[in-house]
Amino acid sequence: MNIISVEHFYRYFRIYQKQPGILGSFKSLFKRKHYDSKAVDDISFKIDEGELVGFIGPNGAGKTTTLKCLSGLLFPSGGKISVLGFNPFERKKEFLKQISLVMGQKNQLWWDLPPNETFLLNKEIYQVDDKKYKKIIDELSELLDVGEILNVQVRKLSLGQRMKCELIASLIHTPKVLFLDEPTIGLDVVMQKNLRKFVKEYNKKYNSTIILTSHYMGDVEELCKRIIIINLGKIIFDGNLEDIIKKYAVNKLLTVFFDKPVDRSKLTHFGEIKEYDPLKVKLAVPIGNSRDAAALILKNYPVEDINIEDPEIETIIRHIFEINKT
């Protein structure tokens, strides 16, 4: 069942230009130059119930604009958008009760009050009954391990603690659709891992439909089987993460451990040396040559262990952006 349907959607912004100085300001009162910036340019995709989809791209690609249109904060310039059977921009009460948008750089918690006060406010806004509210708070607090800080002023919490409480505030009404825009931005590695675990468990427990944007590819690799890549307002890939590796991976990475030191110059013809010390080397080898290269290294050098793996997803995504610059 399609929970989210996007057909030939585009969103343009009119950008006005002004010459510098007082004279420029005066002229702009009568005539202003402008151009239309294509934030999102004719994209289409569908997302089924329970899917957790990674929506990735560089800064300015159109990710946040798309999420804002899907959640009803912005209206599309054209095309058709449907979420849970609703037109998001109409912002009907029945629609808003079933979605949530979490933006890593935006706060909804009251700075001088403890998180519990914001939770109670959201409880009343979404008309959640007392029994369900208590159950949700208990479950989410346990999943995120924040039971001891819910009555502490927000200003006294760490960034990671605040982000966890932001998530709880957004999930009190157990939305069917969740838009996560950079939820782990600014967090340390441990906190990122904890939040990924929570998102995965929440998705599984409530069968919620989730779109995740992130610049941390660890988020996408761990959580999403399917990814949509957008660049310059256009979708350039939509499919399984495994498929993108098969389609765009240029090299394999060979990590070789030696019993005895091996001179660097003897290894350069096998591929590009990424890391080297006399007892270990990491080589980027063209995919078609990786097995032959591994066999030759095993035959001619004192190898203790050898490992062949796909390149890091960041490298593949960077390659895709480079070939889609225009």
Side-chain angles (χ1 to χ4, degrees):
M1 176 184 175
N2 293 145
I3 295 295
I4 298 173
S5 176
V6 176
E7 298 178 11
H8 302 290
F9 155 62
Y10 62 93
R11 181 63 164 91
Y12 297 171
F13 291 96
R14 177 154 290 187
I15 308 297
Y16 289 97
Q17 299 175 310
K18 182 185 81 66
Q19 295 178 1
I22 297 176
L23 182 59
S25 298
F26 182 75
K27 287 181 178 179
S28 69
L29 293 174
F30 302 96
K31 185 178 181 180
R32 290 191 293 174
K33 293 182 179 180
H34 68 269
Y35 66 94
D36 289 331
S37 174
K38 299 179 180 180
V40 183
D41 188 17
D42 192 13
I43 67 171
S44 300
F45 60 86
K46 297 182 186 297
I47 297 177
D48 292 334
E49 184 177 11
E51 275 197 276
L52 203 170
V53 178
F55 194 57
I56 61 177
N59 289 331
K63 305 185 300 296
T64 300
T65 298
T66 301
L67 292 195
K68 286 182 176 179
C69 288
L70 289 173
S71 59
L73 291 178
L74 292 175
F75 64 90
S77 301
K80 183 179 180 182
I81 295 177
S82 174
V83 179
L84 294 165
F86 294 92
N87 178 350
F89 191 65
E90 292 178 354
R91 298 187 61 80
K92 292 183 177 179
K93 185 184 297 185
E94 296 82 0
F95 167 71
L96 296 176
K97 282 185 175 183
Q98 299 182 74
I99 70 153
S100 191
L101 171 63
V102 179
M103 304 183 74
Q105 296 175 313
K106 302 292 183 181
N107 300 320
Q108 63 174 311
L109 298 174
W110 291 87
W111 190 245
D112 294 310
L113 298 175
N116 261 337
E117 298 291 340
T118 301
F119 299 164
L120 286 170
L121 175 62
N122 284 6
K123 167 187 177 295
E124 297 302 322
I125 290 174
Y126 290 106
Q127 299 176 334
V128 180
D129 63 64
D130 293 342
K131 185 177 180 180
K132 183 178 179 181
Y133 171 76
K134 185 178 185 309
K135 180 183 177 183
I136 292 297
I137 292 297
D138 290 344
E139 287 179 353
L140 297 183
S141 298
E142 183 177 350
L143 280 173
L144 289 167
D145 190 26
V146 292
E148 296 181 356
I149 64 169
L150 297 186
N151 291 308
V152 178
Q153 273 185 309
V154 170
R155 65 166 59 246
K156 296 180 180 179
L157 301 179
S158 69
L159 176 61
Q161 289 172 328
R162 292 203 303 272
M163 194 63 231
K164 287 180 176 182
C165 292
E166 290 283 353
L167 276 171
I168 292 177
S170 299
L171 299 174
I172 285 172
H173 57 300
T174 56
K176 292 181 180 179
V177 178
L178 182 58
F179 303 111
L180 297 177
D181 189 24
E182 302 285 356
T184 60
I185 192 168
L187 302 182
D188 61 44
V189 175
V190 175
M191 196 58 65
Q192 288 177 24
K193 185 176 181 180
N194 291 340
L195 281 181
R196 289 172 196 154
K197 181 181 177 183
F198 168 74
V199 171
K200 185 183 293 184
E201 291 178 355
Y202 185 87
N203 171 249
K204 184 177 180 180
K205 183 169 185 176
Y206 294 98
N207 195 36
S208 56
T209 304
I210 301 175
I211 297 182
L212 167 73
T213 80
S214 180
H215 281 101
Y216 299 120
M217 292 310 301
D219 294 347
V220 178
E221 285 186 89
E222 188 170 332
L223 294 172
C224 308
K225 290 183 179 179
R226 175 187 172 191
I227 61 171
I228 297 173
I229 302 178
I230 186 171
N231 191 28
L232 300 175
K234 292 183 177 290
I235 290 178
I236 57 177
F237 180 86
D238 181 357
N240 292 332
L241 194 57
E242 294 178 358
D243 294 338
I244 199 173
I245 293 173
K246 292 177 182 177
K247 183 175 181 180
Y248 289 100
V250 177
N251 299 315
K252 290 276 189 178
L253 293 178
L254 271 63
T255 304
V256 187
F257 299 87
F258 301 108
D259 287 326
K260 299 177 182 179
V262 175
D263 189 79
R264 180 189 180 105
S265 62
K266 295 180 179 180
L267 302 169
T268 54
H269 64 282
F270 289 107
E272 182 184 354
I273 296 177
K274 295 293 187 181
E275 297 177 16
Y276 170 80
D277 71 48
L279 293 174
K280 177 187 174 184
V281 66
K282 180 175 283 190
L283 295 161
V285 181
I287 286 180
N289 302 336
S290 59
R291 291 186 179 181
D292 291 340
L296 286 171
I297 292 172
L298 283 167
K299 181 180 179 180
N300 295 296
Y301 299 99
V303 176
E304 178 182 320
D305 193 15
I306 189 168
N307 184 37
I308 304 176
E309 57 189 345
D310 291 314
E312 294 180 347
I313 189 66
E314 288 95 335
T315 304
I316 298 173
I317 299 300
R318 194 180 307 118
H319 173 65
I320 295 172
F321 292 153
E322 287 175 355
I323 64 179
N324 286 276
K325 281 182 178 179
T326 58

